[in-house]
Every structure is written in structure tokens, then in C-alpha cells.
């Protein structure tokens, strides 16, 4: 009873403090509702797109990519059919990103890893995407990050009171420092050079003010070059991995008609667990408009198990809420795969899916558990080394069989 009374007293005191004083960090005004589609990054226009709202602009983005590729190949004296366009979409999943790190490293070891025309990432996938985009040269970086880091390298926990009164329960300053160590101006120059060849690197965040998914053209950001481009590049990566309430949001400075505002960007996982390209972009049609026909392959890597994990749920508010949120994320992730598959089928893109097998049951003591990540990295590596069993359809989906003629 003493513990209950103390707990209630603490909650009551916290509520009074929240009402009486606030430690919430200040911010510039949010972009007004009727101006959200006009906001631009100062000095770097057309580096991000709002899904659905910017459908025409996204289609134009695809056409520009094709044209850059055609121009580059012409400069190289290329003749004949275009090489296959290979896409890879890397999902969120926190420390489960170790699965993708192992898969990529082993894919290189087999000698069959393609150069990706398009790389997309959300959340932990956003942290992986730039290195996967640049290829085997950065395999060692991925392995180091996902097999050697521990919680202290990613988060700084705040006290319960300061967490409630601020903008998150933990600070992601360590993750920011870790990212800045690897993402340098030299790396941006490499990405810009690949962007000029027609390759694309896209990362998704969620604009919490407007409650809309935002796709960032990271190659174009890199092409601007300089400290401001580097700062924005890193901030977008961190924003995409900033779980609301857990990590602070990333405040991005924008302007509308010369007037400054700030947007609040958080983990892209609140709008999708994985994306390849928006359904509003008709890749096959856009390429045909340029006179381009080619083979297209898509690899989707879901950094999660897809089977429902059983648990004896404790009858307590926080446990029930946590279990419900985890279930929602699980269901959303499967729904994303069906959406991607449908879009790929429409555009004649060969669909391939990888995910963490149900047989993987290493102990997970805490987020960014080093031993857990090492075991998961090894699982992704070994599966790929043996010839990864890519699924051709999402789980539970069966391709309809055409009825015999006359039936």
C-alpha cells in the first residue's frame, strides 16, 4: 500500500510540475497548414517530396534519374540494351538491422551482389542505406556498427521526470556522434558521384506537424556538397531513426516565401516499416516514355520476424500497451509488403523478400544488445552464403491460378 500511495503521489507531483513548469525545448513556429507543400530547405530546393501530394514531382524525379543514367552510359560509350535495374528496400527494426548487415556482407562474399539502381531506407534501414548504396567498400563499416556497439553508443537515458518534461525519454546524442563519425564530406562526394550516374538513394521520415511521410532525395542533397548539405544529410538519417517519445525529434529548418519555420521530423516507421517507391510512381511507364525497356528486380529486406511471437502478457497497463504497439507494428510491416508486392507486379518488377527466420531465437536482453546483434549478423551472413531463400511473394500470399479455358 505504501508503494501504491507513493506511486500515486509521484504521478500527481509530476502532473503539477508539467502544468507549472516545462523543460520542453523551444522551437520555431511550425509551417502553417496551408503552406506545408511550399516549404523548402534553405539553399537546397527540391530535395524532398511528400508522398501523394507530390505525385507529379516524384514521377519527374524518376524520369530525371533515367535521363542521368542514359547520359552517363552514353559518355561511357555504352551500346545495346540497358543493364538490369536492381532495387533494394531496407526496413526499420532497431538492432535487428544486424540481419541486413550480415546479409550484405555475405552477398559480397558470394560475388553475386549487384550494384543497386535504387536504395531506400527507413529507421535502422536509413542508417544502413547510404553504406549499402556505396557497395562493398563499406561492408566493414556495417559489420562494425552492428556487431560491436552497445546501448551506450546509441542512447543516453534521462530520468523519468526529465524525460516526461522534455521531448523524449532518452537522448540520441551518442547515435548522432556515431553517425557523424562515418558520414563525412568524402562519403557525400562518393554518393554525389553515383547520383550523377542515375542511381538513387531515398530515405523516409515522418513530418509530425503535417502528419505526412516525406521522402528525401539523399543523392541530390549530397550533390549540393559542403557543411550544410552534410549537416542535413546526417539529420535526415537520425530523424528517420528517432522513435517518437523514445528519442528527441529532429527539428529541421525550412522556409516559405523567405519566412523561417521548423518542421518536426521523427521515425519514418510511424508511417511505413519499409518502402520501395511510392505507388504513384509508375516506373515502367516513366521508363517507356524515355524509350527505355529493361529487366527490373526488387529485393525487400525486412529486419524482423514475420511470424507472430507468442507471449504470456502480464496484466498491467504498460505491458498491455507495449504488446499492442508491437502487434500494430508487426501488422503494419506485413501490410507494407503486400503494398510493395502489388506495385511491383503492376510494373513488372521481379519481387524478392528476405526476413529474419522464425528459427532465430537468440536472447534479447536490451535494445542494441551486442551479443544478440552478433548472433543475428551471423544468421543473415550464413543464410546468404548458402544462397538466400528469397520469397517471391509476401507470406500467406498465393498467386491465383488461371482457370482452364472454357471454365
Amino acid at each position: 500500500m505504501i508503494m501504491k500511495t507513493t506511486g500515486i503521489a509521484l504521478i500527481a507531483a509530476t502532473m503539477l510540475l508539467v502544468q507549472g513548469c516545462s523543460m520542453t525545448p523551444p522551437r520555431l513556429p511550425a509551417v502553417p497548414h496551408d503552406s506545408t507543400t511550399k516549404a523548402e530547405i534553405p539553399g537546397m530546393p527540391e530535395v524532398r517530396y511528400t508522398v501523394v501530394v507530390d505525385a507529379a514531382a516524384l514521377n519527374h524525379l524518376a524520369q530525371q534519374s533515367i535521363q542521368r543514367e542514359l547520359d552517363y552510359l552514353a559518355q561511357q560509350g555504352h551500346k545495346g540494351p540497358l543493364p538490369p535495374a536492381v532495387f533494394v528496400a531496407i526496413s526499420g527494426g532497431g538492432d535487428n538491422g544486424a540481419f541486413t548487415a550480415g546479409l550484405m556482407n555475405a552477398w559480397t562474399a558470394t560475388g553475386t551482389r549487384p550494384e543497386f539502381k535504387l536504395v531506400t531506407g527507413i529507421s535502422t534501414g536509413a542508417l544502413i542505406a547510404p553504406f549499402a548504396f556505396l557497395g562493398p567498400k563499406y561492408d566493414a563499416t556495417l559489420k562494425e556498427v552492428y556487431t560491436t556497439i552497445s546501448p551506450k553508443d546509441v542512447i543516453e537515458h534521462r530520468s523519468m521526470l526529465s524525460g516526461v518534461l522534455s521531448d523524449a525519454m532518452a537522448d540520441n546524442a551518442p547515435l548522432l556522434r556515431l553517425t557523424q563519425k562515418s558520414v563525412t564530406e568524402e562519403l557525400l562526394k562518393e554518393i554525389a558521384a553515383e547520383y550523377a550516374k542515375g542511381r538513387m538513394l531515398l530515405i523516409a521520415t515522418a513530418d509530425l506537424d503535417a502528419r505526412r511521410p516525406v521522402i528525401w532525395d539523399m543523392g541530390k542533397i549530397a550533390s549540393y556538397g559542403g557543411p550544410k548539405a552534410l549537416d542535413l544529410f546526417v539529420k535526415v538519417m537520425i530523424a528517420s531513426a528517432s522513435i517518437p517519445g523514445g528519442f528527441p525529434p529532429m527539428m529541421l529548418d525550412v522556409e516559405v516565401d523567405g519566412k523561417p519555420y521548423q518542421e518536426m521530423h521523427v521515425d519514418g516507421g510511424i508511417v511505413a516499416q519499409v518502402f520501395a517507391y511510392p505507388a504513384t510512381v509508375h516506373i515502367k511507364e516513366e521508363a517507356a516514355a524515355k524509350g527505355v525497356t529493361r529487366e527490373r528486380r526488387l529485393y525487400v529486406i525486412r529486419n524482423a520476424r514475420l511470424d507472430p511471437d507468442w507471449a504470456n502478457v502480464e496484466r498491467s497497463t504498460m505491458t498491455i500497451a507495449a504488446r499492442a504497439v508491437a502487434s500494430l507494428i508487426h501488422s503494419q510491416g506485413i501490410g507494407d509488403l503486400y503494398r510493395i508486392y502489388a506495385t511491383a507486379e503492376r510494373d513488372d518488377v521481379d519481387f524478392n523478400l528476405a526476413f529474419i527466420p522464425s528459427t532465430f531465437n537468440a536472447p534479447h536482453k536490451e535494445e542494441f544488445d551486442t551479443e544478440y546483434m552478433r548472433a543475428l549478423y551471423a544468421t543473415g551472413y550464413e543464410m546468404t552464403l548458402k544462397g538466400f531463400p528469397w520469397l517471391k511473394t509476401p507470406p500467406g500470399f498465393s498467386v491465383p491460378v488461371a482457370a482452364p479455358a472454357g471454365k
Side-chain angles (χ1 to χ4, degrees):
M1 185 65 185
I2 292 175
M3 290 181 68
K4 280 188 176 180
T5 305
T6 303
I8 293 170
L10 179 59
I11 293 171
T14 301
M15 292 301 293
L16 287 172
L17 281 168
V18 170
Q19 294 173 3
C21 65
S22 175
M23 295 167 56
T24 305
R27 63 167 293 182
L28 292 178
V31 179
H33 176 262
D34 59 355
S35 298
T36 54
T37 58
K38 301 177 184 176
E40 292 276 13
I41 300 296
M44 284 181 275
E46 299 180 350
V47 295
R48 84 295 180 53
Y49 302 87
T50 303
V51 179
V52 180
V53 175
D54 293 329
L58 282 163
N59 276 286
H60 183 59
L61 181 69
Q63 286 209 347
Q64 287 179 319
S65 169
I66 295 169
Q67 189 58 57
R68 289 197 308 275
E69 183 180 11
L70 292 173
D71 292 343
Y72 170 75
L73 290 174
Q75 292 170 7
Q76 301 302 307
H78 176 83
K79 295 181 181 179
L82 291 178
V86 184
F87 313 143
V88 63
I90 308 171
S91 85
D95 53 9
N96 280 342
F99 178 69
T100 294
L103 189 156
M104 286 291 173
N105 271 261
W107 205 348
T108 298
T110 64
T112 61
R113 178 175 167 179
E115 179 180 85
F116 303 118
K117 163 75 173 175
L118 167 69
V119 178
T120 70
I122 282 183
S123 198
T124 199
L127 301 178
I128 294 171
F131 305 106
F133 179 78
L134 289 176
K137 177 180 177 181
Y138 287 93
D139 281 355
T141 300
L142 286 178
K143 182 178 180 180
E144 178 183 2
V145 169
Y146 283 97
T147 62
T148 65
I149 65 170
S150 62
K152 66 180 177 60
D153 299 307
V154 180
I155 56 177
E156 288 177 0
H157 291 288
R158 294 170 174 171
S159 69
M160 178 66 73
L161 186 59
S162 63
V164 170
L165 296 178
S166 188
D167 57 358
M169 298 307 295
D171 193 342
N172 55 4
L175 177 60
L176 178 61
R177 291 192 293 268
L178 183 67
T179 305
Q180 289 172 330
K181 179 181 176 182
S182 301
V183 181
T184 62
E185 288 200 36
E186 185 58 37
L187 182 136
L188 253 63
K189 289 178 182 177
E190 293 181 50
I191 291 175
E194 297 305 313
Y195 170 81
K197 298 176 184 177
R199 298 179 63 210
M200 300 182 70
L201 171 60
L202 305 179
I203 285 177
T205 64
D207 179 346
L208 207 54
D209 295 316
R211 203 164 71 176
R212 288 174 173 167
V214 176
I215 293 178
W216 296 81
D217 187 345
M218 305 300 280
K220 187 161 188 177
I221 293 173
S223 70
Y224 279 104
K228 289 185 178 179
L230 178 60
D231 180 64
L232 177 62
F233 195 100
V234 171
K235 283 182 176 178
V236 170
M237 290 176 65
I238 299 299
S240 186
S242 296
I243 303 169
F247 288 158
M250 190 59 66
M251 306 306 301
L252 300 181
D253 295 329
V254 297
E255 61 182 20
V256 177
D257 299 327
K259 187 174 180 180
Y261 296 97
Q262 270 188 335
E263 293 176 343
M264 182 181 288
H265 285 258
V266 298
D267 195 327
I270 72 170
V271 291
Q273 292 301 304
V274 62
F275 78 104
Y277 56 90
T280 53
V281 177
H282 292 69
I283 284 185
K284 186 177 179 181
E285 291 182 13
E286 296 304 322
K290 290 283 187 182
V292 172
T293 57
R294 71 196 313 180
E295 177 189 347
R296 296 179 183 85
R297 298 196 303 273
L298 167 64
Y299 295 92
V300 181
I301 306 174
R302 180 71 179 103
N303 291 305
R305 284 174 46 172
L306 298 186
D307 59 308
D309 61 320
W310 184 91
N312 183 13
V313 182
E314 180 185 341
R315 191 172 179 179
S316 66
T317 301
M318 295 307 294
T319 304
I320 292 170
R323 180 69 171 173
V325 170
S327 299
L328 180 64
I329 292 172
H330 179 264
S331 298
Q332 179 198 38
I334 293 176
D336 291 334
L337 298 178
Y338 275 77
R339 171 178 46 79
I340 292 170
Y341 176 75
T343 305
E345 281 288 287
R346 181 199 67 192
D347 294 335
D348 290 335
V349 178
D350 180 49
F351 178 90
N352 300 271
L353 171 64
F355 54 90
I356 299 173
S358 59
T359 53
F360 180 78
N361 288 296
H364 193 219
K365 300 175 184 176
E366 58 184 341
E367 290 302 314
F368 302 100
D369 177 344
T370 308
E371 293 308 313
Y372 172 85
M373 289 190 293
R374 286 175 179 169
L376 185 51
Y377 174 93
T379 295
Y381 192 94
E382 291 301 323
M383 288 181 71
T384 307
L385 211 58
K386 295 174 182 176
F388 199 92
W390 299 93
L391 286 189
K392 304 305 292 184
T393 61
F397 184 91
S398 58
V399 179
V401 178
K407 294 290 186 179

